[in-house]
Each structure stands twice: as C-alpha cells, then as structure tokens.
Amino acid sequence: MINILHVTYDMRIGGTEMVIKNIIEGSDSNRFCMSIFCIEDTLGPWGVDLQSKGIEVNSYSRKPGFDWGLIRRLREVIAMQNIHIVHCHQYSPWVYGAIASSLLGVKVIFTEHGRFYPDSTNFKRRLVNPLILKLTDAVTAISNATRLALNEFEFIKLDKVKVIYNGIAPLKSSPMLSRKLKKSLGITEGEQVIGTISRFDPIKNHKMLLSAFHLLLQKNERVKLLIVGDGEERANIESIIRTLGLENKVILTGYQKNPTEFLSLMNIFLLPSLSEGTSMTLLEAMSLGKPCVVTDAGGNSEIVIDDETGKVTSNDVAQEFAQAISTLLDSPLLMAKMSKNASLKFAKSFRESVMNKRYSDLYEELIC
C-alpha cells in the first residue's frame, strides 16, 4: 500500500480541487491510501464530502509571512500517517510540502495547475526554487503551456516537467430537462444558443465575449448568448450588456451548482479567457460533444484542435472571435463533424481514467 498525502490550499469547488477529488475517488484502494492536507483553514464542500466518505482531511490556518508552524504540523501528519509520497498542488503548497518532507524519506511531487495573468516572477523565486527542486522528485504540469511557464518564470528545466492533462467523468444530460429549461429561459426553437460557464472575473474576459456577440448579431439575429456564473465582475458585465443594447439577447443565469443542463443547451461552447490552464468546463463541453470556440490562451489550443474540434482564435480579438462563431453557426455539417471529433478527443485524452492512470503510474514509478 502506497500512502499519499495531497497538499493544497483548500478543497473548495474549483479546477485544482476537482483534480484532487478525481484522483482520490478514481484510485485503486488496494494500491493507494490517500489523504489531504489543506494549508488554509477552510476545507470547502469537497473536503467535507470526502471526509464523509472516510478520507482523512486535515487543515491548518496559515499565518501571514512564512509560517514555520505549518512546516511542523505538516511533518507531524507525514510521520503520523506513514506517508510515502507528498503530492503538492500549486506553488505555495509545494514550498511548504517539500520543506516539510525533507529528511523524512518521502517522495515529493509538485503539480502546477495554472498561472496568473499576466505571468511574472521575482528575484526571491530565482534563489529559492532551485533549492526546493532538490527536495522534489517529480514535477508535472496540466498543459504544455503551463510547462513552458514553469521553465520561463520558475526556472525549472523543461526536461524535468511531465505534462499530465486534467481528466473528468463525462457529463450526462437529460433531453427532457433540457427542453424544459430551454422553455423556461424563453429560448424559441428557431434560435441557436451559444454560451459560456465561468466565474465573473476579469481574466475570463466577458467584456470581449460581449463585444464579439454584438458583432455576431449584425450577421445573425437568431442567436442568444447564455452566460452561466457569478462573481465580482457582474456589475461591469451588466453595464456592458446595457450599453450594447443586448438585454433581450443575453441570458444571465447566475451561479448554478450543477450547470450540466445549461451546457447541454449550447450549440457552441465559448471560452474567451485571457489565461487558462486546462479548463474543466471546456472538458465538460467536449464530453457532451460541443464544438468549442476558444482563445489561444494557456492550454486551450492543446485541448481544442483548430478546425477539427472547434476554432482557436487570437487572444482578446473580438472580431476574430465573432467570425469563428459565425463560421460554425453557418455550417451545420461542420458543426456536426466537430461535435463528433470533440467526443472522440475527450474519450481518448481527457477522461478521468486517463488522468488517474498517469498519476498512478507516476506514484508507483517513484516508489519502485
């Protein structure tokens, strides 16, 4: 039995947390015993859910500055649980996890799940990272774009970083529920639906999306934009909608705990982000066979193959984004082809079983 401790910020609902949850729930309990350590005090709903299923989840309220108390607590947990591998998710958990693991005879993995936009580094990391790397046995990134960023901004050699793409369980939608939802949202049978699902954050670039939609309507009036989510940018998004006169064409649903049926309504899924790692919602859209139009940001172009499973456009160019959407809407045959290709690409590369096998192989490789 290999004992693995996942070190992360918390287990609130998000992409990194979904990866950890999928790894734990998809692992072979006869080969691996997994637990979680959150360096922030808030467990989050997924942490509570995993606890209810018998997974040990510890948390610690990290103090400002560098917290040596957190190092001591992590070392206690590693020793108490007889941990063999400490799998650190994101930068700060990596620093704490690697230092805490030193001289305890355990292996350390660092997984980078995404980068800030615009990306940057500092002199301190140039000094610290080589030392932390000496305490680390493997580094993984969720996309090649993230791998390149680790090299440029964290000074980690490319040949030291392995790409393991995120994986999820395919979504299942209900045609009956989708029809009811479509009717409740006031979408008529003759209207096509394009949309996105994300938190309302500047990095998700709803501003460009709305500009592109405004341009699209000049060519095609039989389309509605469905935006699922909420967040700090809501007031700005609503203001742009009013300024562009889109009140009758844009549907804001607010936050949806389970947005599957909203996603199933979309003829095309849109991802206009300024920066992405491996978007879980993009994978969900592909699992439902949705053609996707995305910006060439982060790992987007590694997931969506341009002109095969969707369209990849330049980052933050509304005219190009609008044209890509228009091209798909005007060609049902092209949309059908991309829908089939998206489903095939998802099954081959982005199912949770594919991701879990790659991490399981890595765990065993480090121990054997």
Side-chain angles (χ1 to χ4, degrees):
M1 181 75 73
I2 301 175
N3 298 328
I4 300 168
L5 178 66
H6 293 275
V7 182
T8 186
Y9 285 105
D10 55 54
M11 283 302 290
R12 290 178 289 188
I13 295 173
T16 299
E17 297 77 16
M18 182 184 287
V19 168
I20 297 170
K21 185 172 183 287
N22 286 349
I23 292 172
I24 292 174
E25 293 182 336
S27 66
D28 183 348
S29 59
N30 293 317
R31 297 159 63 199
F32 307 106
C33 177
M34 299 198 180
S35 56
I36 299 173
F37 188 102
C38 300
I39 68 172
E40 305 290 356
D41 194 37
T42 303
L43 286 186
W46 282 345
V48 173
D49 177 63
L50 288 169
Q51 275 186 330
S52 71
K53 295 175 181 177
I55 303 299
E56 184 161 351
V57 183
N58 286 281
S59 65
Y60 181 95
S61 183
R62 179 169 56 133
K63 298 177 179 62
F66 193 82
D67 189 348
W68 287 102
L70 172 53
I71 298 290
R72 289 192 294 271
R73 179 56 184 151
L74 256 174
R75 288 178 70 86
E76 290 173 1
V77 171
I78 291 168
M80 183 172 56
Q81 296 184 12
N82 189 29
I83 295 299
H84 300 111
I85 297 174
V86 174
H87 190 165
C88 308
H89 301 266
Q90 302 286 42
Y91 184 83
S92 291
W94 173 43
V95 173
Y96 282 106
I99 294 174
S101 299
S102 61
L103 303 180
L104 293 181
V106 302
K107 303 294 185 179
V108 175
I109 301 171
F110 165 42
T111 294
E112 177 63 272
H113 289 266
R115 305 293 301 177
F116 291 110
Y117 178 87
D119 216 331
S120 63
T121 189
N122 57 52
F123 184 68
K124 184 188 298 184
R125 289 195 177 189
R126 185 180 286 275
L127 293 176
V128 170
N129 289 356
L131 301 176
I132 302 299
L133 277 169
K134 290 182 178 180
L135 305 174
T136 305
D137 299 276
V139 180
T140 72
I142 61 169
S143 69
N144 190 56
T146 306
R147 172 175 169 265
L148 294 173
L150 285 176
N151 174 250
E152 181 177 357
F153 299 104
E154 306 297 351
F155 320 107
I156 302 175
K157 293 181 179 179
L158 289 175
D159 61 3
K160 298 293 185 183
V161 186
K162 177 183 293 187
V163 174
I164 299 181
Y165 290 108
N166 289 345
I168 63 166
L171 297 187
K172 296 180 180 179
S173 63
S174 164
M176 182 179 70
L177 291 177
S178 294
R179 285 194 295 271
K180 288 183 178 179
L181 179 59
K182 190 173 185 178
K183 184 176 181 180
S184 70
L185 293 173
I187 301 169
T188 65
E189 288 301 320
E191 290 181 310
Q192 293 174 299
V193 180
I194 59 176
T196 192
I197 302 173
S198 69
R199 69 184 184 277
F200 287 5
D201 183 281
I203 204 168
K204 297 301 181 180
N205 208 5
H206 292 84
K207 179 180 179 181
M208 187 278 282
L209 172 63
L210 290 166
S211 295
F213 182 57
H214 183 251
L215 293 172
L216 176 68
L217 288 174
Q218 296 173 21
K219 296 182 179 180
N220 185 347
E221 294 184 351
R222 300 294 293 168
V223 59
K224 282 191 173 175
L225 175 61
L226 185 61
I227 301 179
V228 181
D230 210 337
E232 63 184 68
E233 279 290 289
R234 186 178 186 93
N236 289 335
I237 290 169
E238 290 175 338
S239 176
I240 294 170
I241 290 172
R242 289 192 297 271
T243 299
L244 295 177
L246 301 175
E247 293 93 333
N248 296 325
K249 289 293 185 177
V250 177
I251 301 170
L252 298 177
T253 72
Y255 169 75
Q256 300 294 326
K257 185 176 181 180
N258 183 3
T260 300
E261 299 308 326
F262 291 90
L263 182 54
S264 70
L265 289 183
M266 299 175 191
N267 299 103
I268 302 172
F269 177 75
L270 310 174
L271 194 62
S273 305
L274 292 167
S275 178
E276 285 286 349
T278 299
S279 166
M280 292 299 197
T281 312
L282 182 55
L283 300 187
E284 290 174 340
M286 291 181 66
S287 80
L288 290 174
K290 300 297 179 182
C292 302
V293 175
V294 303
T295 50
D296 191 5
N300 286 352
S301 62
E302 298 170 51
I303 299 169
V304 176
I305 308 303
D306 192 33
D307 289 330
E308 290 187 20
T309 62
K311 301 286 286 185
V312 181
T313 74
S314 302
N315 207 341
D316 199 27
V317 181
Q319 181 68 50
E320 194 175 330
F321 204 75
Q323 183 56 54
I325 300 168
S326 180
T327 297
L328 296 189
L329 292 177
D330 290 344
S331 178
L333 288 177
L334 181 59
M335 291 215 357
K337 174 189 172 183
M338 289 185 173
S339 175
K340 181 180 178 181
N341 289 343
S343 296
L344 292 173
K345 177 68 174 176
F346 171 83
K348 180 180 178 181
S349 303
F350 302 118
R351 287 186 70 105
E352 84 282 25
S353 57
V354 177
M355 177 189 72
N356 288 338
K357 184 180 187 308
R358 296 202 65 192
Y359 279 118
S360 294
D361 289 347
L362 177 59
Y363 297 149
E364 293 191 325
E365 177 187 319
L366 291 180
I367 295 301
C368 296

